[in-house]
Amino acid sequence: MNHFVYLDNAATTSVRPEVVDAMLPFFTENFGNPSSVYDFAAKNKKAVNDSRQIIADAMHADIRDVYFTAGGSEADNWALIATAEAYESKGKHIITSKIEHHAILHTCDYLKTRGFEITYIDVDENGTLRLDRLREAIRPDTILISVMFANNEIGTVQPVKEIGAIAKEHGILFHTDAVQAFGQIPIDVDEMNIDMLSASAHKLHGPKGIGFLYIRKGLKLRSFIHGGAQERKRRAGTENVPGIVGFGTAVSIAVSEMEERVRSESEVRDYLIEKIEKAIPYCRLNGHRTKRLPNNVNFSFQFVEGESLLIMLDMEGICASSGSACTSGSLDPSHVLLAIGLPHEIAHGSLRMTLSGETTKEDVDFVVEKLTGIVEKLRSMSPLYEDFIKKNSH
Ligand SMILES: *Cc1c(COP(=O)(O)O)cnc(C)c1O
């Protein structure tokens, strides 16, 4: 195979070589436990602290409010479950959106079994949260609003500052799953009134299995993992020092390159969108055209099956994902695509391509050429498409 194009950076990213280099000594010569008292371990304690500072600075937060976890899913679980428990005397109502990641939606399912009531707010056809619906949903017993910063499937970036303002106005806590946004686009927890924020290293060229939950000072959240006194007694377990160092290094690079990367990545993204719209008829761009992640492209192609598309792209050395990605081989179309109003059959023909800073216009040319041929081929085998063409030729 002479070509390999990886367009699934929303699923995970490659670890940057600089990140690996920064991590390596913490497996070997600096293997100490940061909690130990001797000088040998002090280096590790400092490395953990330095990473925590870099991460706090990246969202204008206080270093003491950053708690390392084993990834985004753990941070999401912690935020929801611990808030529910800590504030249930005030009320048992939680508001979220219809397009959250399963780490939020399935945690909400769990909380329902514990007597909590969940309201799922609609999004519009671009995937933007309906703020009017959010306001209407607020009740005296609402304790938490959890809305993702940017969507992992269709890339729509939410009006986070407005949501934060609404939460604050009503004295309700606001959590955001920022796994797709952190390190990709600017975040300011104070300006946006964010009380809790989840992020994960492996979505921004850091290692897998390390993330954090930001918890604003003053929140009464309990510890999620019980045991030692690590993470200010809120998340027990010997620190994943190499992971934390890798996360800090990845964030430091992401922040220093953010402006330039957002500019160049958006340019390649828009080039890809434009080329597809020109080359392939009966397609639809999913997600907001401008308020979207710089690396996200999501299209539905009529008369095409997303899974077949993926397999044929794979044979050309192109990695992408479809509307039902990461859900255990389920054939149900994605809840996100249904929430933006796509009929089942259109949602089934969806393709997500997520770029990295390395993706070039040459990659895009190659991908669109292959994609155009594949869509044509799949349509030529579709009886529905044949009928449609016949009808429209009269
Ligand atoms: C990837 C992802 C998660 C899960 O993060 P992990 O570190 O893989 O547990 C949660 N939310 C969103 C939006 C994601 O994209």
Side-chain angles (χ1 to χ4, degrees):
M1 200 184 326
N2 38 16
H3 246 100
F4 176 73
V5 186
Y6 182 79
L7 294 181
D8 205 15
N9 287 280
T12 197
T13 59
S14 66
V15 183
R16 299 259 303 223
E18 304 94 304
V19 171
V20 176
D21 288 345
M23 290 171 72
L24 286 176
F26 292 93
F27 289 104
T28 51
E29 64 256 41
N30 301 323
F31 63 83
N33 187 324
S35 300
S36 305
V37 291
Y38 35 76
D39 189 51
F40 171 61
K43 212 175 201 155
N44 299 21
K45 199 175 195 159
K46 182 177 179 312
V48 168
N49 232 39
D50 290 349
S51 280
R52 203 188 303 278
Q53 187 69 59
I54 291 167
I55 287 166
D57 289 347
M59 53 183 174
H60 309 280
D62 190 305
I63 183 172
R64 289 166 298 181
D65 296 345
V66 175
Y67 299 87
F68 288 112
T69 65
S73 300
E74 183 189 321
D76 283 345
N77 274 257
W78 185 7
L80 265 56
I81 295 171
T83 303
E85 287 182 351
Y87 293 88
E88 68 180 321
S89 58
K90 186 182 167 229
K92 297 187 90 172
H93 181 233
I94 292 170
I95 298 175
T96 187
S97 84
K98 286 192 173 160
I99 61 164
E100 297 297 310
H101 189 272
H102 285 130
I104 294 290
L105 292 178
H106 291 170
T107 305
C108 286
D109 288 343
Y110 164 74
L111 287 173
K112 277 195 242 173
T113 70
R114 317 300 299 176
F116 287 85
E117 211 183 315
I118 317 285
T119 301
Y120 302 90
I121 304 296
D122 285 321
V123 294
D124 66 13
E125 71 278 8
N126 296 316
T128 307
L129 194 81
R130 295 273 309 262
L131 294 177
D132 53 335
R133 296 280 170 85
L134 172 63
R135 285 181 182 281
E136 286 162 19
I138 292 173
R139 314 191 316 210
D141 61 341
T142 308
I143 53 171
L144 175 68
I145 296 172
S146 179
V147 175
M148 69 201 322
F149 205 108
N151 185 267
N152 47 303
E153 291 186 36
I154 57 174
T156 301
V157 178
Q158 297 300 335
V160 172
K161 193 175 166 184
E162 286 80 351
I163 298 168
I166 292 170
K168 190 173 182 181
E169 186 189 314
H170 292 86
I172 299 166
L173 294 176
F174 174 39
H175 165 258
T176 185
D177 174 342
V179 174
Q180 289 292 335
F182 185 75
Q184 310 283 355
I185 52 178
I187 297 179
D188 186 321
V189 289
D190 287 338
E191 196 195 294
M192 298 171 167
N193 288 308
I194 295 166
D195 294 306
M196 286 165 277
L197 178 146
S198 310
S200 181
H202 77 99
K203 303 287 175 80
L204 54 120
H205 301 287
K208 292 167 182 60
I210 182 77
F212 72 82
L213 178 64
Y214 161 78
I215 308 175
R216 184 177 289 282
K217 220 169 304 323
L219 267 62
K220 317 183 281 188
L221 301 208
R222 68 156 166 88
S223 150
F224 196 57
I225 305 289
H226 306 285
Q230 292 91 353
E231 301 300 299
R232 300 164 63 82
K233 298 195 180 140
R234 273 175 149 170
R235 201 281 186 183
T238 302
E239 296 86 345
N240 173 358
V241 181
I244 291 170
V245 168
F247 197 178
T249 310
V251 172
S252 156
I253 296 170
V255 168
S256 69
E257 295 179 350
M258 190 182 291
E259 229 178 273
E260 170 55 20
R261 203 199 56 256
V262 168
R263 194 197 56 71
S264 62
E265 224 170 57
S266 307
E267 193 182 314
V268 179
R269 174 197 69 192
D270 294 340
Y271 179 69
L272 175 55
I273 292 173
E274 226 170 86
K275 281 204 80 151
I276 290 177
E277 287 180 330
K278 266 200 196 121
I280 307 177
Y282 315 117
C283 69
R284 176 196 197 272
L285 176 70
N286 297 315
H288 200 287
R289 197 167 280 271
T290 53
K291 289 178 189 143
R292 76 187 297 137
L293 289 169
N295 74 343
N296 177 289
V297 174
N298 188 312
F299 270 98
S300 294
F301 301 100
Q302 259 181 285
F303 315 107
V304 165
E305 240 283 306
E307 297 302 309
S308 323
L309 210 52
L310 284 190
I311 292 164
M312 291 175 77
L313 285 169
D314 186 29
M315 292 194 295
E316 302 290 352
I318 300 164
C319 304
S321 82
S322 76
S324 50
C326 74
T327 55
S328 59
S330 130
L331 282 179
D332 293 339
S334 126
H335 62 286
V336 176
L337 298 175
L338 296 181
I340 60 173
L342 296 195
H344 273 61
E345 68 277 13
I346 307 280
H348 267 303
S350 299
L351 180 70
R352 178 186 74 180
M353 291 170 281
T354 43
L355 324 177
S356 78
E358 315 267 88
T359 313
T360 62
K361 288 189 176 172
E362 287 70 40
D363 293 331
V364 169
D365 291 339
F366 172 76
V367 168
V368 176
E369 187 200 317
K370 295 297 173 195
L371 181 63
T372 307
I374 291 169
V375 169
E376 263 171 30
K377 188 162 175 191
L378 289 172
R379 282 179 177 165
S380 73
M381 302 187 294
S382 157
L384 286 173
Y385 184 64
E386 205 182 325
D387 287 352
F388 174 82
I389 293 299
K390 264 188 212 148
K391 249 183 240 155
N392 283 273
S393 61
H394 300 303

